[in-house]
Amino acid sequence: MPKPRKQLVSLEATPYYHCVSRCVRRAFLCGSDNQGRSFEHRRGWIEKLILDQAQIYCIDIAAYAVMSNHFHVILHINQARARSLTNLEVVQRWHQLYAGTLLSQKYERGEELSESQQAILDERIEEWRDRLMSISWFMRRLNETVARLANEEDQCSGHFWEGRFKSQALLDEKALAACMAYVDLNPVRAAMAKTPEASGYTSVKKRVEKAKEARTPNHPKQQAYGLMPFAGNPRQDMPEGIQMRLTDYLDLVDWTGRQIRNNKRGSISEAEPTIMDRLGIDAEHWLYITQNFESEFKGIVGAVHEVKSKITQFWDDQRERKRAAGIAACKLRLS
């Protein structure tokens, strides 16, 4: 039985979540079906929607990959950005997504509201502020928009996606790095591309293309627009971003992709990227989890001590989770 979303998301535990949506119909989401009809253009729809929505929601995109019948996206909930928005900024952002209310439309136009009207609107604005940093609302609008466009194109109606999207909480740097590599290497594993930089509709391709043009690729302001930047290795006064260097991550993904393509057990190269030492993950475990992340781990992913210390933050008032599903995999692969 699916768990309530509130048992899968805890901003106190982590801001990072891996989300997956799969198409319910045999007709392809993207690519070409067995009748020769091409839906490749839909991959562009999804990529553009992911990046465009991130500019409106207070959510950053760490990684994404759009495949033939599903897509992956790793989201970072930016609470600080949401809390810093003025009431007017919240209304303006919400109106880019939905029509709002008559009161919010008057407020945006600068028309005067009565005290009672302002009180009603203030309550609604705080609700919208929370929604602007909600992965459920982000994925809901993304999936609804894609389903509407696809159904219109296919001249049909009905469900387009398999019920709810799947989400995994990523508790620490190891889990985040492994999940990002897993997402970015989806086309390589599926034999849709030979290299990460040739993988269409992925965040790694977008990052590589920008890095080739940049004079200082590790500088956060010289990285791919629309994606959460890499801010460098952990240190004091850390700027906002993923806590590793972009070039280290690209080396790691490239090395991992080469091992996947070799497809030989035990053929791990001695020339492992230096970031492997900093992450403290055994090379064999790394290669396994970057090919089996979804099937190996359940809803909460991280080193065992992280899972045990944060599991209570995913409990609700009615039902306490006495143990974390998948903790054995976390202990074996990430501890």
Side-chain angles (χ1 to χ4, degrees):
M1 180 178 177
K3 294 182 177 66
R5 191 66 63 186
K6 62 184 178 181
Q7 291 186 20
L8 300 173
V9 176
S10 168
L11 298 187
E12 292 75 22
T14 179
Y16 289 99
Y17 294 86
H18 170 217
C19 302
V20 187
S21 279
R22 299 182 186 279
C23 185
V24 73
R25 298 202 294 250
R26 288 297 179 183
F28 274 29
L29 163 65
C30 310
S32 300
D33 66 9
N34 53 15
Q35 297 178 2
R37 295 180 301 173
S38 176
F39 302 100
E40 192 69 10
H41 58 283
R42 294 181 182 177
R43 300 176 76 187
W45 291 354
I46 297 171
E47 181 178 49
K48 186 176 187 302
L49 280 166
I50 289 171
L51 297 174
D52 286 352
Q53 282 195 185
Q55 302 306 309
I56 303 172
Y57 284 86
C58 296
I59 288 177
D60 306 307
I61 309 300
Y64 67 84
V66 185
M67 304 298 288
S68 62
N69 61 357
H70 68 285
F71 71 88
H72 298 258
V73 61
I74 298 178
L75 305 176
H76 171 265
I77 301 169
N78 197 323
Q79 293 187 77
R81 186 186 305 156
R83 299 305 178 199
S84 69
L85 294 177
T86 65
N87 283 358
L88 179 58
E89 288 171 332
V90 171
V91 169
Q92 290 171 335
R93 287 180 181 236
W94 191 254
H95 284 176
Q96 293 181 65
L97 301 168
Y98 301 100
T101 65
L102 290 175
L103 290 180
S104 67
Q105 291 166 10
K106 290 178 64 176
Y107 179 75
E108 187 178 18
R109 292 194 297 266
E111 298 179 21
E112 189 172 345
L113 301 179
S114 69
E115 187 174 329
S116 60
Q117 288 176 326
Q118 188 64 56
I120 293 171
L121 180 59
D122 286 345
E123 186 176 338
R124 182 58 60 88
I125 286 173
E126 290 311 304
E127 181 181 307
W128 291 345
R129 189 188 304 275
D130 288 339
R131 290 179 180 180
L132 286 174
M133 56 177 175
S134 164
I135 66 171
S136 292
W137 278 88
F138 183 96
M139 294 295 290
R140 172 182 174 173
R141 185 178 186 275
L142 174 61
N143 286 350
E144 282 180 352
T145 304
V146 173
R148 186 167 58 252
L149 290 170
N151 283 347
E152 182 178 345
E153 186 175 64
D154 294 341
Q155 296 185 340
C156 68
S157 60
H159 291 291
F160 187 81
W161 302 102
E162 276 186 356
R164 304 190 316 166
F165 66 92
K166 176 182 177 181
S167 70
Q168 293 174 303
L170 309 175
L171 300 186
D172 55 28
E173 187 182 23
K174 292 180 185 180
L176 175 62
C179 191
M180 287 181 65
Y182 170 79
V183 168
D184 277 330
L185 287 168
N186 255 260
V188 174
R189 287 196 309 275
M192 294 171 65
K194 291 184 177 180
T195 61
E197 60 269 24
S199 302
Y201 307 101
T202 62
S203 51
V204 70
K205 177 178 173 64
K206 193 173 180 68
R207 291 188 191 278
V208 169
E209 288 177 346
K210 182 61 178 179
K212 288 178 178 178
E213 301 172 358
R215 293 183 61 184
T216 311
N218 285 318
H219 195 289
K221 292 186 178 180
Q222 295 187 32
Q223 296 179 31
Y225 176 77
L227 294 175
M228 189 176 187
F230 284 80
N233 293 330
R235 60 188 184 278
Q236 286 187 335
D237 301 322
M238 189 76 185
E240 190 175 276
I242 299 167
Q243 295 190 4
M244 64 182 81
R245 299 196 319 159
L246 172 62
T247 51
D248 286 343
Y249 175 73
L250 294 180
D251 285 344
L252 181 62
V253 172
D254 180 69
W255 176 84
T256 307
R258 292 177 191 275
Q259 309 313 311
I260 291 173
R261 290 200 311 276
N262 287 342
N263 198 27
K264 296 178 182 177
R265 291 184 180 274
S267 64
I268 298 171
S269 167
E270 293 181 2
E272 299 167 13
T274 55
I275 193 174
M276 293 287 287
D277 291 332
R278 189 172 74 75
L279 291 175
I281 300 179
D282 175 81
E284 289 193 24
H285 287 324
W286 172 265
L287 292 178
Y288 182 84
I289 60 181
T290 52
Q291 295 179 71
N292 301 279
F293 196 94
E294 279 186 87
S295 57
E296 184 73 358
F297 300 114
K298 304 303 179 184
I300 304 172
V301 188
V304 169
H305 70 276
E306 291 284 350
V307 175
K308 288 183 176 178
S309 66
K310 295 177 179 177
I311 184 62
T312 56
Q313 295 171 1
F314 292 90
W315 290 349
D316 61 18
D317 296 333
Q318 287 76 36
R319 178 185 173 193
E320 291 188 352
R321 197 181 310 183
K322 297 187 180 300
R323 69 179 188 85
I327 198 168
C330 293
K331 181 176 182 180
L332 175 63
R333 306 292 182 184
L334 293 173
S335 300

